[in-house]
Amino acid sequence: MSSSDKYSGEKNRYWIPNLDINKKVITREIQYYLGPESTVRPYTREGEDGFLITTPGECLTDEQIDDICRKSKEAWERQVAARAKTNSGKQLKRPLHQPVAVCRGDTSVSSKRRRRGNDRDEKFEVTNAEGIIVS
């Protein structure tokens, strides 16, 4: 590509898979490697998640991608260390796989329990939201 093509306004678009690449790291590094007009954004191609890089020049070299992957690993390790520090009381076997509640189940059917019989009898009835016994 000649330098006149590089500045003609036409930009090249490249897709790379997001495997081992942290979004914040590639966003921060892309202009360092490819120039101030380069951009990157999440993009799914043929069902595979990755990044769409738009640049007036050539795409990232293998060495640059390796550098971004290394910096991504360091960023994730810092996140794990920070998470472990805030949750120092409870260590998880897999700190990156800590469950995060996205949705709680339907609360219209509750498992309200009512005692039946005297206090020594430990039998319970399960009722739904309308108070109807379901078991």
Side-chain angles (χ1 to χ4, degrees):
M1 171 180 286
S2 70
S3 61
S4 63
D5 290 341
K6 188 174 180 178
Y7 298 105
S8 66
E10 292 294 317
K11 293 193 178 182
N12 299 311
R13 291 170 32 169
Y14 303 94
W15 177 87
I16 61 171
N18 67 357
L19 183 65
D20 297 331
I21 297 177
N22 181 296
K23 180 183 173 188
K24 289 180 181 180
V25 171
I26 194 167
T27 301
R28 182 181 64 230
E29 298 292 321
I30 197 72
Q31 291 182 343
Y32 170 76
Y33 289 121
L34 302 179
E37 294 181 37
S38 300
T39 61
V40 63
R41 67 179 180 92
Y43 188 82
T44 301
R45 179 181 167 264
E46 297 176 4
E48 188 175 356
D49 292 335
F51 298 100
L52 183 67
I53 298 170
T54 305
T55 180
E58 295 299 314
C59 195
L60 295 165
T61 65
D62 287 342
E63 292 79 17
Q64 291 167 333
I65 293 172
D66 287 344
D67 192 42
I68 289 171
C69 289
R70 182 184 51 76
K71 290 178 180 180
S72 295
K73 183 179 178 187
E74 291 169 0
W76 285 319
E77 288 172 351
R78 283 191 303 273
Q79 288 175 350
V80 169
R83 228 181 266 144
K85 195 173 189 179
T86 58
N87 294 332
S88 61
K90 62 174 194 181
Q91 284 287 7
L92 295 174
K93 182 177 179 183
R94 298 180 177 270
L96 289 177
H97 295 89
Q98 181 175 1
V100 175
V102 175
C103 177
R104 299 285 181 184
D106 183 15
T107 57
S108 65
V109 177
S110 67
S111 60
K112 296 178 186 175
R113 294 179 178 222
R114 242 185 349 207
R115 281 193 183 231
R116 183 171 63 175
N118 63 28
D119 288 339
R120 287 178 287 177
D121 189 0
E122 293 298 318
K123 295 180 183 175
F124 290 94
E125 294 176 343
V126 178
T127 60
N128 64 13
E130 291 80 32
I132 300 170
I133 298 171
V134 292
S135 71

